[in-house]
């Protein structure tokens, strides 16, 4: 079995050797997943293969030795020992024999100068020196050294010498053991010392802090110096406001190291964590630096890997060259310059000295070239008043030239610096700066920032904030979950959602017969029906009411016949007259027709009142016929293209949406190239083509105040807010939040919004125009009634013409003249316009006495009178009865006529 395993390892080694990818060996405790991931990520970064061996138990010397031999057989170019326990001594001994370069990552108490290895961890001497100087700077006269059992106090041993009873300087020592440190801590507290130097492994920091807080050792009067350089990789937020002073070291330069950001991203990818560079533990960074050292050495020493056998005491030809190169050549790692003394111990370490303050972590000085340089006076936390930390500082503020948030000022003079810009966010930051007393300078950045899903790299404003190339970003900067994973946002200063900007469809004037729309078709049909039915009822009721039968010729006392006014024409005239609110001369006499007429009048009163009441509203409706009302309808529409800003939260909203329609819309926008670079281009497209633009509602509000032909269609698709961006864990967030809340409460933000949205740069234009439009009823509203009038008149003229022609025809037949002659005569008379009496025409060839003729005419007159009587009855006729006979009446009429 063992032989098979060896064969397998051998085959594997051969494969690797032939593949020519150098292998770096790593030995780690089996549960040290983070270190293993760090080796894998670093190996990938420097194009190595990594062979990792797990030690199943701490200090398992034999097992570790066996693993080293396995690695040697695999042909590794060097080994990184991440165990750094007792077994390191054996590892280095084997590596020494095999001449395999060995890098260790932690201090080892067993270390002696004849060890052949490189130790990347800062030497204990460096710690002793920096601690001594720091304690002097802090002016501590007594303190307690707290260390973890199993670790020597080697990094702080020189401090013991500071104890001096004559000068009343005292140092006490406490050892932490097990998992419960409370008893030791309580004892330390009772000693009365309030200053502590703590030396514990980085994975114990949180527990120590927590238990110290539990025993009330984290108050204003307490000060700590932590020796491990990992203090500030831990989240210390809970201790920030307690007043405790904590000082620690940091090996990396977070702000200026691009490599660190890159490695953090790779490491996060490998582990699935989402750490920031400042959360990276020293050991992880040292693994990276170790691999980098191998990479640098291999680039200088042309070495080929070889499989080595421990049992044969083989040694690697290139091992010592690589080892010496690494020891003597300076490499710039994530933990700054990697320099070593002749024994492979790291020298000239550079530390940042950090302090936890209520305003966050602050660098108070640096340790470099064995010198402590304090850049900020050591003061108590109470003195670092929150309000003062921004005072008199100058911050770089990122802005975007997007209206109304920031514009370039229009001026005839050449403007410089911050004066070049104006806008809502420019005024807002000015107000915040007034409150907090800081100054600022603007930098324009068009890209707000997104995370590349493949490279996991940020860009735009987010990147600049993260890399501390700028302090704040203020624009229409939407707070998104993704961005919040990379930076911090202030409390929101404006709320919004995504809306659809579209061209207002030209208003359709009301239809010509809009006045008909007041009632539904059903009501109109029923009215016609009711009127027809009522006409019939009136005729019937009129005929059976005996009072309605009247003498047609009142002057004849005993008429031979009676006439009834409720003919079809009269009934319809009465009905229509009342509907039109005009009445008619037809007046029912009998009770029954009067009752029916009264209820009809009542009915018409209600109908007309309802009609008039609603008519104005109907006439003034100008319909906007929208091609779509919702986003779904827009999606279904074939001829309207749509899009949004190509980089920003709106695009992200569509891209990440779980709604299949939004997803498809995003795909279409992307495929068809409908995404635009900025809002202005989008607005332009909406105005000049068939294009709908997805825009944030606040910006839509701004645009529709100035472009009166544009409007927002439908509601908002989501809800979010704008905030001021700043780096993660920014010490200023708290203060900026406070200032923003103050400005919100006093209504200042709303005031600024009103100014920049509704007043400045063309605001308020559309409101006025819309009001004017609303007031009057124009010809377009009244066209229908005019048309009805015109058509009615035309029909009237046509009927009267036909009537006239009929009359002319009848006369031409009666008097045996030509139709043309009669027509000319008729027209001649009609266009004379003088007098309202028309002579009856008689044919010139007609013979007979005047009396006979008069008799004939009289018959005609009586006939016509009868018809007038029945069609045009009025009360005067009824009350006034003549006693003249029909013949004498005819004679009288004939006498009045003027025969030609
Ligand atoms: N406010 C957006 C952002 O922060 C930009 C505009 C947009 O995407 O519509 O990315």
């Amino acid at each position: 079995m063992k032989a098979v395993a060896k064969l397998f390892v051998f085959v594997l080694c051969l494969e690797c050797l032939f593949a020519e990818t150098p292998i770096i060996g790593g030995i780690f405790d089996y549960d040290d997943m983070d270190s293993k991931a760090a080796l894998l990520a670093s190996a990938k970064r420097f194009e190595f293969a990594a062979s990792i061996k797990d030690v199943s138990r701490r200090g398992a010397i034999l097992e570790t030795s066996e693993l080293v031999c396995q690695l040697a057989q695999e042909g590794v170019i060097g080994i990184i020992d991440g165990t750094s326990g007792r077994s390191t001594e054996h590892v280095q001994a084997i590596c020494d024999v095999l001449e395999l370069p060995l890098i260790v990552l932690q201090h080892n108490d067993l270390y002696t100068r004849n060890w052949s290895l490189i130790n990347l961890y800062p030497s204990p001497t460096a710690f002793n020196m920096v601690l001594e100087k720091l304690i002097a700077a802090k002016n501590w006269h007594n303190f307690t050294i707290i260390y973890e059992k199993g670790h020597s106090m080697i990094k702080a041993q020189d401090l013991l010498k500071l104890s001096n009873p004559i000068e009343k300087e005292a140092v006490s020592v406490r050892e932490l053991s097990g998992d419960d440190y409370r008893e030791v801590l309580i004892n330390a507290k009772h000693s009365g010392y309030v200053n502590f130097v703590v030396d514990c492994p980085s994975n114990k920091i949180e527990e120590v802090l927590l238990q110290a807080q539990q025993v009330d050792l984290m108050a204003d009067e307490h000060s700590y110096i932590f020796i491990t350089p990992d203090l500030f990789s831990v989240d210390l937020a809970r201790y920030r406001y307690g007043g405790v002073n904590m000082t620690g070291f940091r090996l990396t330069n977070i702000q200026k190291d691009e490599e660190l950001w890159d490695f953090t991203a790779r490491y996060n990818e490998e582990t699935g964590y989402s750490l920031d560079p400042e959360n990276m533990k020293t050991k992880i960074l040292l693994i990276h630096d170790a691999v980098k050292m191998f990479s640098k050495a291999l680039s200088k020493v042309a070495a080929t890997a070889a499989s080595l056998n421990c049992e044969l005491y083989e040694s690697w030809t290139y091992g010592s060259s690589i080892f010496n190169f690494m020891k003597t050549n300076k490499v710039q790692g994530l933990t700054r310059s990697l320099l070593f003394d002749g024994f492979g111990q790291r020298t000239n370490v550079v530390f940042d000295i950090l302090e936890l303050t209520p305003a966050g972590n602050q660098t108070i000085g640096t340790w470099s070239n064995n010198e402590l340089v304090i850049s900020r006076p050591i003061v108590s936390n109470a003195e670092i008043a929150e309000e003062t930390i921004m005072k008199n500082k100058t911050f770089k503020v990122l802005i975007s030239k997007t209206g109304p948030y920031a514009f370039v000022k229009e001026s005839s003079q050449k403007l410089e610096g911050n004066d070049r810009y104006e806008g809502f966010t420019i005024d807002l930051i000015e107000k915040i700066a007034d409150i907090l007393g800081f100054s600022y300078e603007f930098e324009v950045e068009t890209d707000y920032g997104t995370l590349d899903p493949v490279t996991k790299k940020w860009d735009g404003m987010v990147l600049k904030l993260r890399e501390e190339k700028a302090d704040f970003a203020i624009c229409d900067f939407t707070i998104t979950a993704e961005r919040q994973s990379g930076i911090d946002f202030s409390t929101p200063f404006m709320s919004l959602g995504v809306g659809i900007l579209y061209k207002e469809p030209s208003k359709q004037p009301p239809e010509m017969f809009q006045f008909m729309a007041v009632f539904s078709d059903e009501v109109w049909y029923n009215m016609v029906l009711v009127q027809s039915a009522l006409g019939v009822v009136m005729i019937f009721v009129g005929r059976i009411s005996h009072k309605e039968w009247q003498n047609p010729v009142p002057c004849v006392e005993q008429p031979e016949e009676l006439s009834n006014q409720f003919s079809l024409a009269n009934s319809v005239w009465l009905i229509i007259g009342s509907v039109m609110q005009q009445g008619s001369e037809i007046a029912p006499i009998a009770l029954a027709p009067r009752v029916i007429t009264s209820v009809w009048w009542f009915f018409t009163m209600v109908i007309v009142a309802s009609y008039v009441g609603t008519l104005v509203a109907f006439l003034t409706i100008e319909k906007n016929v929208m091609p779509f009302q919702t986003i779904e309808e827009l999606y279904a529409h074939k001829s309207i293209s749509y899009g949004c800003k190509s980089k920003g939260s709106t695009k992200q909203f569509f891209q990440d949406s779980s709604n299949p329609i939004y997803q498809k819309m995003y795909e279409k926008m992307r495929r068809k190239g409908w995404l635009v670079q900025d809002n202005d281009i989008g607005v332009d497209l909406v105005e000049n083509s068939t294009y709908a633009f997805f825009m944030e509602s606040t910006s839509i509000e701004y645009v529709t105040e100035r472009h009166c032909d544009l409007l927002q269609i439908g509601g908002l698709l989501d809800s979010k807010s704008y905030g001021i961006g700043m780096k993660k864990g920014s010490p200023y967030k708290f203060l900026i939040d406070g200032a923003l809340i103050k400005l919100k409460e006093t209504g200042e933000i709303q005031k600024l919004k009103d100014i920049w949205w509704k007043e400045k740069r063309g605001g308020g234009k559309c409101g006025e125009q819309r009001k004017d439009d609303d007031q009057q009823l124009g010809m377009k509203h009244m066209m229908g009634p005019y048309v009805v009038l015109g058509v009615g008149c035309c029909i009237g003229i046509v009927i009267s013409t036909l009537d006239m022609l009929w009359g002319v025809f009848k006369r031409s037949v009666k008097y045996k003249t030509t139709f043309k002659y009669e027509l000319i005569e008729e027209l001649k008379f009609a266009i004379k316009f003088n007098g309202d009496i028309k002579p009856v025409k008689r044919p010139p060839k007609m013979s007979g006495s005047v009396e006979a003729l008069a008799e004939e005419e009289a018959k005609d007159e009586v006939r016509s009178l009868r018809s007038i009587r029945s069609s045009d009855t009025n009360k005067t006729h009824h009350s006034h009865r003549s006693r003249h006979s029909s013949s004498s009446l005819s004679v009288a009429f004939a006498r009045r006529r003027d025969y030609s």
Side-chain angles (χ1 to χ4, degrees):
M1 194 66 195
K2 219 172 176 183
V4 176
K6 275 191 177 169
L7 192 73
F8 177 70
V9 169
F10 185 67
V11 171
L12 211 102
C13 297
L14 281 181
E15 249 178 51
C16 294
L17 289 178
F18 284 118
E20 281 188 0
T21 305
I23 312 166
I24 293 189
I27 301 178
F28 297 99
D29 291 328
Y30 72 98
D31 55 353
D32 192 358
M33 298 305 182
D34 293 349
S35 299
K36 289 188 253 181
L39 180 56
L40 289 174
S42 313
K44 267 189 215 160
R45 179 155 197 262
F46 294 102
E47 294 173 358
F48 284 114
S51 176
I52 295 172
K53 304 290 175 202
D54 285 347
V55 180
S56 59
R57 191 167 46 81
R58 267 169 241 275
I61 296 167
L62 285 177
E63 188 189 353
T64 313
S65 308
E66 171 82 4
L67 293 175
V68 175
C69 290
Q70 279 179 22
L71 288 173
Q73 198 154 24
E74 286 173 24
V76 295
I77 54 145
I79 292 176
I80 297 171
D81 178 13
T83 60
S84 299
R86 239 163 211 293
S87 48
T88 299
E89 190 180 3
H90 297 267
V91 174
Q92 78 80 30
I94 299 171
C95 286
D96 203 6
V97 173
L98 299 172
E99 293 196 21
L100 268 182
L102 170 69
I103 297 183
V104 296
L105 310 169
Q106 280 169 38
H107 175 74
N108 196 299
D109 291 346
L110 304 172
Y111 169 76
T112 57
R113 291 203 151 189
N114 60 358
W115 281 20
S116 142
L117 48 70
I118 288 175
N119 190 350
L120 283 185
Y121 201 78
S123 72
T125 325
F127 283 108
N128 277 300
M129 284 198 288
V130 69
L131 283 171
E132 228 177 298
K133 298 246 165 98
L134 200 53
I135 285 168
K138 283 181 177 269
N139 206 13
W140 285 1
H141 293 289
N142 51 46
F143 59 91
T144 306
I145 301 174
I146 297 176
Y147 73 100
E148 166 95 2
K149 187 176 180 182
H151 287 72
S152 75
M153 258 183 28
I154 194 161
K155 282 176 255 169
Q157 66 188 8
D158 290 357
L159 301 184
L160 294 173
K161 288 186 242 153
L162 297 179
S163 181
N164 183 348
I166 303 163
E167 305 224 349
K168 294 203 175 133
E169 312 230 300
V171 181
S172 73
V173 180
R174 306 274 161 180
E175 184 187 73
L176 302 174
S177 63
D179 289 330
D180 190 351
Y181 311 136
R182 274 169 281 231
E183 205 183 318
V184 181
L185 292 172
I186 289 169
N187 284 338
K189 184 177 161 186
H190 288 158
S191 71
Y193 298 168
V194 288
N195 304 316
F196 304 91
V197 175
V198 184
D199 186 12
C200 68
S202 79
N203 59 349
K204 292 280 169 68
I205 297 173
E206 277 165 308
E207 201 50 47
V208 173
L209 290 174
L210 191 69
Q211 296 196 18
Q213 192 178 44
Q214 286 165 354
V215 300
D216 205 12
L217 271 178
M218 284 285 187
D220 275 353
E221 65 271 25
H222 298 116
S223 288
Y224 291 82
I225 298 174
F226 277 79
I227 297 179
T228 164
D230 286 328
L231 176 68
F232 289 98
S233 68
V234 173
D235 181 12
L236 299 174
R238 60 187 302 175
Y239 310 107
R240 192 164 144 184
Y241 302 106
V244 66
N245 181 299
M246 279 196 241
T247 306
F249 311 116
R250 187 189 264 162
L251 282 173
T252 51
N253 187 348
I254 304 262
Q255 287 141 39
K256 299 208 179 81
D257 203 337
E258 302 242 338
E259 209 178 352
L260 173 64
W261 290 85
D262 177 59
F263 177 62
T264 309
R266 285 168 186 272
Y267 179 70
N268 284 339
E269 205 176 315
E270 195 68 46
T271 53
Y273 298 153
S274 49
L275 298 179
D276 283 322
E278 61 214 34
N279 304 126
M280 299 287 273
K281 297 263 190 276
T282 306
K283 190 173 180 185
I284 305 298
L285 302 175
L286 292 180
I287 291 172
H288 168 277
D289 287 355
V291 178
K292 188 170 182 181
M293 283 174 67
F294 277 118
S295 163
K296 286 273 177 220
L298 273 197
S299 69
K300 291 283 182 274
V301 181
T304 45
S307 173
L308 308 171
N309 190 334
C310 285
E311 284 159 27
L312 301 177
Y313 295 103
E314 286 174 336
S315 61
W316 188 35
T317 331
Y318 304 99
S320 57
S321 314
I322 291 179
F323 184 63
N324 288 331
F325 180 90
M326 292 199 295
K327 247 185 355 186
T328 50
N329 280 278
K330 180 174 155 188
V331 172
Q332 199 61 33
L334 296 182
T335 53
R336 309 188 213 208
S337 301
L338 304 168
L339 291 167
F340 305 91
D341 61 15
F343 307 102
Q345 300 298 305
R346 191 160 173 189
T347 55
N348 285 339
V349 199
V350 178
F351 296 129
D352 278 341
I353 318 274
L354 280 88
E355 215 175 59
L356 177 77
T357 70
N361 305 340
Q362 291 201 335
T363 304
I364 59 161
T366 39
W367 171 261
S368 97
N369 298 325
N370 297 341
E371 280 291 328
L372 176 66
V373 181
I374 298 289
S375 54
R376 200 209 70 195
I378 296 187
V379 288
S380 76
N381 277 349
E383 287 174 68
I384 309 168
E386 285 174 0
E387 286 71 20
T388 61
I389 63 161
M390 291 184 88
K391 275 223 161 70
N392 304 326
K393 284 194 181 165
T394 303
F395 295 100
K396 175 149 296 162
V397 178
L398 298 174
I399 52 168
S400 159
K401 285 190 278 177
T402 307
Y405 308 99
F407 303 98
V408 173
K409 236 189 233 171
E410 289 156 3
S411 165
S412 51
Q413 288 148 25
K414 193 171 182 306
L415 300 172
E416 305 246 304
N418 291 353
D419 275 352
R420 285 170 295 164
Y421 308 105
E422 62 174 6
F424 172 78
T425 53
I426 307 294
D427 288 355
L428 182 58
I429 198 78
E430 190 183 325
K431 291 208 180 291
I432 296 172
D434 283 349
I435 296 173
L436 299 172
F438 63 87
S439 345
Y440 50 90
E441 56 187 46
F442 291 126
E443 184 182 311
V444 175
E445 169 64 64
T446 39
D447 191 353
Y448 293 6
T450 37
L451 181 67
D452 188 310
V454 183
T455 61
K456 296 276 177 237
K457 283 192 176 156
W458 289 98
D459 58 11
M461 293 186 174
V462 177
L463 180 68
K464 284 195 172 163
L465 293 174
R466 283 172 66 86
E467 290 186 344
E468 302 194 11
K469 288 183 179 149
D471 301 287
F472 303 112
I474 184 165
C475 55
D476 50 334
F477 203 18
T478 311
I479 303 174
T480 64
E482 186 187 80
R483 285 178 183 159
Q484 212 149 23
S485 71
I487 53 167
D488 272 353
F489 280 98
S490 68
T491 186
F493 60 82
M494 209 176 258
S495 304
L496 62 133
V498 174
I500 310 173
L501 182 74
Y502 195 67
K503 206 178 343 188
E504 188 168 13
S506 46
K507 276 196 178 150
Q508 299 292 321
E511 282 167 23
M512 194 186 290
F513 297 105
Q514 185 70 10
F515 56 86
M516 294 291 289
V518 174
F519 291 141
S520 68
D521 291 349
E522 217 178 353
V523 174
W524 286 121
Y525 294 142
N526 282 333
M527 291 238 305
V528 172
L529 213 72
V530 164
Q531 288 183 38
S532 316
L534 196 71
V536 175
V537 169
M538 290 301 270
I539 294 169
F540 179 69
V541 171
R543 292 182 76 79
I544 59 171
S545 308
H546 76 274
K547 269 198 178 174
E548 290 296 340
W549 291 100
Q550 295 286 318
N551 182 354
V553 188
C555 44
V556 177
E557 213 171 313
Q558 293 293 323
E560 284 163 20
E561 31 188 45
L562 295 172
S563 70
N564 193 312
Q565 61 174 334
F566 282 108
S567 63
L568 176 66
N570 278 358
S571 302
V572 169
W573 187 241
L574 172 69
I575 289 164
I576 291 180
S578 16
V579 172
M580 297 298 165
Q581 300 285 287
Q582 301 304 317
S584 75
E585 308 87 16
I586 318 292
I589 302 159
L591 182 63
R594 282 187 174 178
V595 169
I596 293 171
T597 309
S598 311
V599 291
W600 173 243
W601 284 345
F602 173 76
F603 172 78
T604 54
M605 182 183 76
V606 174
I607 290 284
V608 170
S610 316
Y611 181 81
V612 172
T614 329
L615 183 64
V616 178
F618 269 79
L619 287 183
T620 47
I621 290 173
E622 295 197 357
K623 275 193 224 147
N624 282 336
V625 189
M626 299 287 178
F628 62 92
Q629 297 280 3
T630 60
I631 185 164
E632 287 78 13
E633 284 174 21
L634 172 61
Y635 171 65
H637 215 286
K638 292 281 170 283
S639 55
I640 302 177
S641 44
Y642 45 80
C644 62
K645 215 174 139 179
S646 58
K647 276 195 100 186
S649 56
T650 306
K651 187 207 90 171
Q652 212 62 35
F653 163 75
F654 280 97
Q655 194 176 350
D656 301 342
S657 173
S658 53
N659 183 326
I661 292 190
Y662 296 179
Q663 279 270 340
K664 283 182 199 155
M665 288 181 100
Y666 169 69
E667 269 312 307
K668 200 164 173 188
M669 292 187 237
R670 202 180 51 78
R671 235 181 327 106
K672 302 239 177 188
W674 290 343
L675 298 169
V676 296
Q677 214 173 346
D678 59 37
N679 284 351
D680 291 345
I681 301 176
V683 172
D684 216 49
L685 279 176
V686 174
E687 241 176 354
N688 301 310
S689 61
T690 318
Y691 182 82
F693 188 48
F694 295 111
M695 200 182 194
E696 286 171 333
S697 54
T698 36
S699 301
I700 292 186
E701 225 178 286
Y702 172 75
V703 168
T704 51
E705 279 284 340
R706 284 150 186 87
H707 299 253
C708 311
D709 52 340
L710 304 187
L711 83 174
Q712 180 185 326
I713 295 191
L716 301 183
L717 310 181
D718 64 352
S719 128
K720 44 202 180 191
S721 359
Y722 294 147
I724 300 176
M726 61 198 89
K727 73 161 192 179
K728 256 230 165 320
S730 166
Y732 311 121
K733 176 174 159 41
F734 186 74
L735 297 169
I736 298 275
D737 284 353
L740 274 175
I741 290 168
K742 215 181 270 177
L743 289 172
K744 274 202 260 186
E745 275 173 5
T746 52
E748 286 294 326
I749 293 191
Q750 189 54 42
K751 243 191 247 167
L752 284 183
K753 190 175 173 211
D754 289 345
I755 290 173
W756 285 104
W757 263 251
K758 302 208 170 109
E759 291 170 23
K760 291 207 177 178
R761 292 198 172 232
K765 175 174 149 197
C766 301
E768 284 163 23
Q769 186 173 322
R770 278 180 191 144
K771 242 186 260 158
D772 287 352
D773 284 355
D774 288 350
Q775 280 168 353
Q776 289 176 328
L777 285 180
M779 201 49 208
K780 61 186 178 190
H781 302 103
M782 303 312 289
M783 205 58 196
Y786 277 95
V787 170
V788 170
L789 175 66
V791 172
C793 289
C794 290
I795 293 173
I797 290 168
V798 170
I799 293 174
S800 73
T801 311
L802 290 176
D803 194 30
M804 177 196 76
L805 293 176
W806 179 244
V808 168
F809 171 71
K810 274 203 325 199
R811 263 200 308 282
S812 69
V813 171
K814 189 171 169 186
Y815 300 123
K816 302 212 171 34
T817 52
T818 64
F819 180 79
K820 189 178 162 196
Y821 169 79
E822 284 297 330
L823 183 62
I824 292 169
E825 284 298 301
E826 187 71 24
L827 289 177
K828 264 193 203 159
F829 176 77
I831 58 175
K832 258 192 208 157
F833 292 109
N834 59 349
D836 54 356
I837 291 173
K838 182 182 178 186
V840 176
K841 209 173 160 220
R842 55 180 292 159
K845 47 191 156 175
M846 203 154 186
S847 58
S849 66
V850 172
E851 275 72 23
L853 268 171
E855 192 71 22
E856 192 64 26
E857 290 293 325
K859 274 183 197 160
D860 276 352
E861 289 296 333
V862 168
R863 267 200 300 274
S864 79
L865 264 177
R866 260 190 205 147
S867 77
I868 290 165
R869 182 75 185 84
S870 65
S871 68
D872 195 23
T873 311
N874 64 32
K875 282 177 199 150
T876 49
H877 283 107
H878 294 289
S879 56
H880 177 109
R881 297 201 178 164
S882 167
R883 286 168 190 271
H884 297 302
S885 73
S886 62
S887 54
S888 56
L889 188 77
S890 309
V891 173
F893 274 114
R895 283 209 184 111
R896 271 172 47 205
R897 282 197 187 125
D898 181 13
Y899 293 100
S900 57

